[in-house]
Amino acid sequence: MNPALVEAARSGDEEAFASIVRGSSDRLFVVAHRILRDVGRAEDAVQQALVTAWRELPTLRETERFDAWLHRILVHACYAEAKRASKWSANVVVLPIDGPATPDTTQDIVTRDALDRGFRRLPTEQRAAFVLHHYLGWSVAEIAENLGVPSETIKSRLRYATSTLRAAIDADSRTTRTTSVERLA
Amino acid sequence: MNENEFELAARAYLEDGPTRMSDYAVSSTLEEIHATRQRRAVRRAWWSDRMTSYAKLTAAAAAVLVVAVVGYAVPGGPGPTKPTPTAPPFGPAGNGIIAFEQLGDILVADRPGGDTRPLVAGPEFDSEPVFSPDGTRLAFGRATDAESVLMVADADGTNVVQVTTGERFLYWSFAPDGRSVVGITWIDGDPRIIVRPIDPAAPPTVLDIDLRLGGQELYELGGPRFRPTNAQEILIKAQPDPDGPPGIYVYDLATGDIRKIVEPAGCSNDTKWAPGCYVHDVAWSPTGESITYNLGSVPRIVAADGSGDRASDDLRDWISPSSNDGTRFVVDLDIFPVGELDTHPGDDSYLREAVVRIDGIGEPVELACGLGMQVECASSWIWSPDDSMLIGTVPHQGSSTYLQADPATGQVTELDWAGDGTPTWQRVALAALSSPGDGSLPVGPYVVGGRLHGEDRVTVTVPAAGWFAPDKGWFQPDKGSVTKDLGGDDVTVAIVPGDYYTMPPNICNWQGDDADPAGEKYWPSTADELVAYLTEQTYDTPDGSAPRDLSAPEDITVGGSHGQRISYTYPDSDASACDEQRFCILQDRDGWGCLLSHQGPGSLDTLWVVDPPENRNYLLVVAASGSPSPALRDEVDTLVNSMTFYNE
C-alpha cells in the first residue's frame, strides 16, 4: 500500500482513499468471499469494511500498519455479516460462480466437495483464521497480532479447522472406497 | 492424505472462486464513502508522562463523564448477590454462576445446563466474558465498528464501565483482586506494559521497562501476568539490555524493582533465537510459587525467586487450563497421528481427549466424546472452580455446543445451551457464607480448600470460635490451614502438601546436589517410617552434627487411619548459615524445595502423620506451629482428631 496515499487519505483526501478502494477491493473481496462463501455477503462485508476504514482512518497512528488494520476491520465485518445471516436465513448452499481453472479429476472433485462441506461447518472465526493462514500466508503470530487475539487462540482455531476439514475428507474417502468396493463386488 | 497433500488441497480449494468485486459494488462503496464523514483524531495525552496536571485533571473528568454515560445507557441484568467473602485467586473454590455469549449478549446460568438469564444485554455486541479470579467482576469485549473495547462489570452485571477506548490493548489479564488488568499497549509506536485500573478515574501505570521488542518478537512475548497470590508482582518477558538476550523478570508494582528470574547464560541479542537462548511461553504455576517456561523446545521450571531453575518433563500440550488444585489437565490423546489415518480405515476414534495428572501418576481418564461417540469432543475445556466438573466448547457455524464432563469417570453429556465461544465460571468462597461476621469460621464442619493430591477432600470440625482460614497460601486456597491468634497465644494448623516426601539427612545443609552425596535421603511411605526418620535427622553444631529433641511419638487414629503424633523443638543452633536460612524437615519428591521447616525459637511444633485410606499413595501430614496455651493445645487436638478425608 502506497504510504503517501494512506497519509493523504488520513488527512481527508477522499480521492486518495478512492484510489485505495480501487486498488484493494478485489483483494479484500477474495478474502471475504473465502470466509463467507457467498458473493453478496462478501461484497457487503467489503463495503462495510472500507466505509469504516475511511471513517476511522484519522485515528490510525501507525500508517505503516494500514494493510493489517484494514484486514482486521474486514474480518470483523465478516463476523458481523455471518451473524446477521445466521439470524435471518437458513443454511443455503451457494455454488461457486467460477469453476476451477483446470479440469478436475474425480478425486479432486470429491476432495473439494468434502472440503466445502467441512468448511461450511466451521464457525466464522475458524474460517477466518484458516483463510488468513492458508490463503494469505500469514503466520500464527501475524494473525494474532493483526486480529488482536492471543496466539494460543489462533493456534486453537487453526487446529480445529484443520481437524474438521481433514475429518470431512477422511469420511468422504471412506464412503468413496466403500462405494468402489461394492461396485466391484 | 498426508500433510503436504492436505495443504495443497486446502490451497486449491481456497483459490477456487470469484476473484473480483462487481463494478456495481465498488461504485456503491465509493458513494457511501463520499457520504461518510471522517472521525476526528483524539490525542490520548493522559498516557504521557509529560502531561501537565491540568490536562490530567481534564482527562480524568472526561473519563468520569464517559463512565457515567456508559453506566446509564447499559442496562444491568438480574444476578446473584455479590459473593462474600471473595474467592481466593487460585486453587479450588466454590462454584458460582457460568457466563457465556449468545448473539451479542452475555447470559448466565447457575449450573451447567441450567436455565439461562441475561446478565448484560442490549443493542451492543458483547462477547468473550471472563470472570476475575476473585469472582467479583466480569470483563468482556464490546465491538465497535473499528475496534473492540474492554468493558468490566460487577459480577451481577451492574456498574458496567469501559476500560479501554479503542486503542490496541493485547494479551490482557485480570489482577487476582479483579481491580485492574494488565496488558500491552503502544505508546509512541513502542509496545509497553500497562496496568489499567478498573476504576476509570484512576490513572494507569506504564511499567518502566523497555520491552525492546518489535515485529515477530513481540508476538512471542505472550501476556504479562499478575502473580496469582498478589496484585503487586507481574511476570514479564523483556530485554532490558539491548545487547543481551530476552529474559524473564518479575516487576514489583509497589517499588518499581525488577527481579531477574532467568537470563539465558552465554546468550546475546544476536543469539536470542538459538535453542539454548530462546525463552518463551512463560507462565506462573497455578499457585504462583514457581514459573514455567520453555527454553527452545525444553520445558523448564524455576522458583518465583529465581532459584532452582531446572528442566521439567511434566509440562505437556494442554487443551485446558490446569485444574484449580494444579494436579490435572485435559489433553488430546492423538491416538492416531494425522499421518497415520490412512492405515486405520474405518476407525473413527481419531479424536480423543482425556484427563491426565501432571505428575503422571495413574491412567488417563478418557472422555466419552469423539467421532463415533454420541458427542463430539470439545476444542477447549474449563474446570469448575471446585474441580468436580468440566465444561467443553464445541464450536459450530454461528454458535457453539457445550458439553459437561466428569473428570473422574470421563462421562460426557451435551448441555441444552446455545451460545458462542468459551464460557467463564465464577469462583466463590468454598467455606459456608454463614460466617460469624468477623470473617472467622463458624463452629462446626469446615471443608479445607483443595484436595489431597487431587483426590480426597479433607474436613475438620472447628471446635470453637476464633479460627480463621487464611486467604492466601501456596497450594490450597486457604493454605489447607486454619489459624487462631489470641495475641501472643497463637497456632496455625496446616496440611503439608506433597506427593511424596523426601527427608534430608541434615536439616541445615538440605538443598542442592551436595545435600546428599551418600544417597541417604529418605522416602517414607508410612507414618511410622516418617516419624522414625525424624529421629535420625541431624543438624550442625559447633561440636558436629546432632539429632534434635523430639518427644516420644504417640500412636493416633485420624479419619479411621493409623498415624503418629510427635512434637519437636527448634534446634539449638543458628540457622543463618543453613540453606535458605532455615532448618528443613520435609521436602517434595524432587528434593529441591522445602515443604516444612522448623519455625522460630520458642515455637512448639507438632506433627501428625497419618496413613492414607486404602488405594491411596499419599501420607497426610499436618503440622501445628505456634505458641499455644494448654487450652488452645486442646482445641488443636480436637480439631486434628476430627479430620476426615474422603473421595467425593
Side-chain angles (χ1 to χ4, degrees):
Chain A
M1 186 64 59
N2 185 335
L5 270 181
V6 175
E7 276 295 340
R10 191 168 76 151
S11 303
D13 186 339
E14 191 179 317
E15 224 7 81
F17 194 79
S19 295
I20 291 174
V21 169
R22 293 188 195 97
S24 64
S25 57
D26 286 344
R27 183 164 46 89
L28 297 175
F29 168 75
V30 169
V31 172
H33 177 267
R34 300 314 184 255
I35 293 173
L36 294 170
R37 310 307 287 183
D38 182 284
V39 170
R41 289 181 208 152
E43 288 185 336
D44 285 347
V46 172
Q47 182 174 69
Q48 185 57 46
L50 288 168
V51 171
T52 299
W54 164 247
R55 187 179 67 235
E56 303 294 331
L57 189 51
T59 66
L60 177 67
R61 289 185 290 178
E62 302 154 83
T63 53
E64 66 274 13
R65 291 199 69 249
F66 175 78
D67 208 47
W69 179 74
L70 183 57
H71 276 87
R72 172 193 268 201
I73 296 174
L74 176 69
V75 169
H76 283 182
C78 288
Y79 292 164
E81 191 60 38
K83 288 198 184 293
R84 272 195 289 274
S86 70
K87 281 187 182 181
W88 298 112
S89 63
N91 267 336
V92 174
V93 177
V94 177
L95 297 175
I97 293 175
D98 297 333
T102 54
D104 278 330
T105 63
T106 301
Q107 190 56 40
D108 288 343
I109 293 172
V110 167
T111 301
R112 192 173 72 240
D113 286 350
L115 277 170
D116 193 60
R117 272 193 295 277
F119 197 81
R120 289 177 189 279
R121 289 180 54 204
L122 295 177
T124 315
E125 291 82 2
Q126 289 183 16
R127 292 186 182 190
F130 194 83
V131 169
L132 295 176
H133 186 61
H134 289 280
Y135 183 73
L136 290 185
W138 288 9
S139 69
V140 168
E142 285 171 326
I143 298 172
E145 203 274 335
N146 291 336
L147 296 189
V149 297
S151 58
E152 293 80 9
T153 302
I154 299 301
K155 284 182 193 173
S156 176
R157 290 177 184 175
L158 281 174
R159 181 164 61 88
Y160 263 82
T162 303
S163 297
T164 302
L165 294 176
R166 291 194 69 106
I169 294 171
D170 188 51
D172 242 52
S173 71
R174 285 201 297 275
T175 304
T176 305
R177 282 202 292 270
T178 304
T179 305
S180 300
V181 167
E182 286 175 350
R183 282 179 182 163
L184 287 174
Chain B
M1 179 179 283
N2 60 37
E3 285 216 22
N4 197 45
E5 289 167 344
F6 173 79
E7 186 67 34
L8 289 172
R11 183 139 186 100
Y13 170 70
L14 291 173
E15 287 176 351
D16 184 12
T19 56
R20 291 195 64 246
M21 191 155 155
S22 67
D23 292 339
Y24 171 77
V26 174
S27 300
S28 172
T29 299
L30 291 171
E31 283 176 16
E32 188 155 343
I33 286 168
H34 181 69
T36 301
R37 183 179 301 176
Q38 279 190 320
R39 189 191 297 276
R40 274 179 53 201
V42 176
R43 285 197 62 206
R44 294 176 180 90
W46 54 281
W47 283 341
S48 169
D49 294 336
R50 297 182 296 274
M51 226 175 67
T52 63
S53 300
Y54 175 75
K56 282 182 187 172
L57 188 62
T58 307
V64 170
L65 177 62
V66 167
V67 167
V69 170
V70 169
Y72 180 79
V74 176
T81 309
K82 292 181 176 58
T84 55
T86 57
F90 65 95
N95 296 338
I97 56 175
I98 306 159
F100 59 93
E101 179 226 328
Q102 186 188 75
L103 296 177
D105 295 331
I106 307 299
L107 306 186
V108 293
D110 292 328
R111 58 177 177 77
D115 292 339
T116 60
R117 58 186 183 275
L119 189 74
V120 179
E124 300 84 3
F125 192 94
D126 300 324
S127 62
E128 300 181 13
V130 177
F131 279 112
S132 60
D134 68 351
T136 60
R137 288 184 175 80
L138 180 78
F140 54 94
R142 175 161 288 174
T144 63
D145 286 337
E147 297 283 354
S148 291
V149 293
L150 186 67
M151 312 292 290
V152 174
D154 287 351
D156 60 4
T158 60
N159 299 320
V160 181
V161 297
Q162 185 173 326
V163 177
T164 65
T165 54
E167 69 281 7
R168 270 197 292 166
F169 184 62
L170 304 181
Y171 308 116
W172 69 270
S173 61
F174 263 116
D177 59 9
R179 294 180 183 172
S180 57
V181 291
V182 64
I184 297 177
T185 191
W186 275 255
I187 299 175
D188 297 329
D190 290 327
R192 301 295 295 274
I193 296 175
I194 187 169
V195 177
R196 292 188 172 284
I198 302 304
D199 177 4
T205 302
V206 179
L207 270 56
D208 186 18
I209 181 166
D210 192 343
L211 299 178
R212 291 190 186 279
L213 299 174
Q216 186 72 16
E217 300 159 333
L218 175 63
Y219 319 130
E220 303 297 335
L221 175 68
R225 291 285 182 270
F226 282 101
R227 191 171 186 175
T229 48
N230 65 64
Q232 180 168 315
E233 293 185 325
I234 297 176
L235 180 67
I236 57 177
K237 174 184 166 181
Q239 188 176 347
D241 176 1
D243 297 321
I248 303 170
Y249 304 87
V250 171
Y251 189 101
D252 189 316
L253 275 178
T255 63
D257 291 340
I258 299 170
R259 183 167 80 244
K260 181 184 73 176
I261 303 297
V262 171
E263 278 181 359
C267 300
S268 66
N269 181 60
D270 293 333
T271 61
K272 61 188 173 186
W273 300 112
C277 299
Y278 177 39
V279 173
H280 62 103
D281 289 311
V282 182
W284 291 104
S285 66
T287 63
E289 287 303 300
S290 57
I291 294 160
T292 59
Y293 69 102
N294 282 316
L295 185 64
S297 62
V298 178
R300 297 185 67 87
I301 186 167
V302 57
D305 62 1
S307 65
D309 188 5
R310 61 190 177 94
S312 168
D313 59 4
D314 289 342
L315 306 176
R316 285 165 276 183
D317 189 17
W318 303 355
I319 58 171
S320 76
S322 76
S323 54
N324 292 280
D325 63 9
T327 62
R328 294 169 293 170
F329 54 102
V330 183
V331 295
D332 276 341
L333 283 185
D334 283 336
I335 289 180
F336 298 121
V338 167
E340 292 181 11
L341 277 177
D342 288 347
T343 65
H344 296 85
D347 190 310
D348 53 10
S349 60
Y350 140 71
L351 283 177
R352 273 280 191 269
E353 294 172 346
V355 177
V356 299
R357 287 179 59 93
I358 288 174
D359 57 14
I361 293 176
E363 293 297 314
V365 176
E366 283 197 39
L367 300 181
C369 64
L371 293 180
M373 305 294 277
Q374 289 187 331
V375 294
E376 293 180 63
C377 277
S379 63
S380 63
W381 294 89
I382 62 170
W383 290 86
S384 62
D386 70 355
D387 287 340
S388 65
M389 291 177 275
L390 290 158
I391 291 182
T393 304
V394 185
H396 296 296
Q397 169 65 21
S399 68
S400 299
T401 302
Y402 298 103
L403 310 175
Q404 178 181 352
D406 182 340
T409 65
Q411 184 181 11
V412 178
T413 54
E414 187 169 323
L415 300 176
D416 187 22
W417 281 349
D420 201 2
T422 304
T424 179
W425 209 322
Q426 180 195 33
R427 306 173 72 251
V428 297
L430 194 63
L433 295 180
S434 55
S435 68
D438 61 351
S440 65
L441 298 171
V443 174
Y446 171 65
V447 181
V448 174
R451 292 172 182 261
L452 284 179
H453 310 288
E455 293 185 286
D456 294 334
R457 286 271 190 226
V458 178
T459 62
V460 296
T461 299
V462 177
W467 287 88
F468 288 78
D471 62 356
K472 60 181 180 180
W474 16 245
F475 186 70
Q476 294 99 345
D478 52 7
K479 208 165 184 174
S481 66
V482 290
T483 188
K484 187 162 186 174
D485 186 351
L486 297 177
D489 178 20
D490 60 48
V491 65
T492 293
V493 180
I495 296 175
V496 183
D499 268 340
Y500 300 100
Y501 302 103
T502 63
M503 300 176 70
N506 185 300
I507 61 174
C508 183
N509 179 28
W510 54 269
Q511 196 176 55
D513 292 335
D514 62 343
D516 186 23
E520 293 172 322
K521 266 195 182 175
Y522 197 68
W523 292 268
S525 57
T526 67
D528 291 348
E529 287 176 349
L530 192 151
V531 170
Y533 198 65
L534 280 176
T535 66
E536 297 183 29
Q537 283 181 320
T538 61
Y539 66 98
D540 293 333
T541 71
D543 300 323
S545 61
R548 291 162 299 188
D549 285 335
L550 299 163
S551 69
E554 302 171 51
D555 286 328
I556 58 173
T557 301
V558 176
S561 292
H562 164 74
Q564 292 212 2
R565 183 177 68 182
I566 190 167
S567 296
Y568 43 80
T569 56
Y570 194 78
D572 183 20
S573 183
D574 182 5
S576 61
C578 299
D579 291 330
E580 294 187 6
Q581 294 86 52
R582 51 178 170 158
F583 298 109
C584 182
I585 304 167
L586 290 179
Q587 297 178 273
D588 63 15
R589 66 169 174 170
D590 292 319
W592 67 278
C594 187
L595 296 176
L596 179 67
S597 58
H598 277 281
Q599 302 306 301
S603 174
L604 176 62
D605 301 336
T606 303
L607 211 61
W608 289 258
V609 189
V610 183
D611 292 331
E614 205 173 319
N615 301 322
R616 297 288 190 268
N617 293 320
Y618 57 77
L619 287 175
L620 173 64
V621 178
V622 180
S625 58
S627 54
S629 64
L632 189 54
R633 219 176 299 151
D634 286 342
E635 282 189 29
V636 172
D637 282 342
T638 303
L639 187 145
V640 177
N641 290 334
S642 72
M643 192 173 289
T644 61
F645 36 101
Y646 61 94
N647 184 262
E648 288 185 322

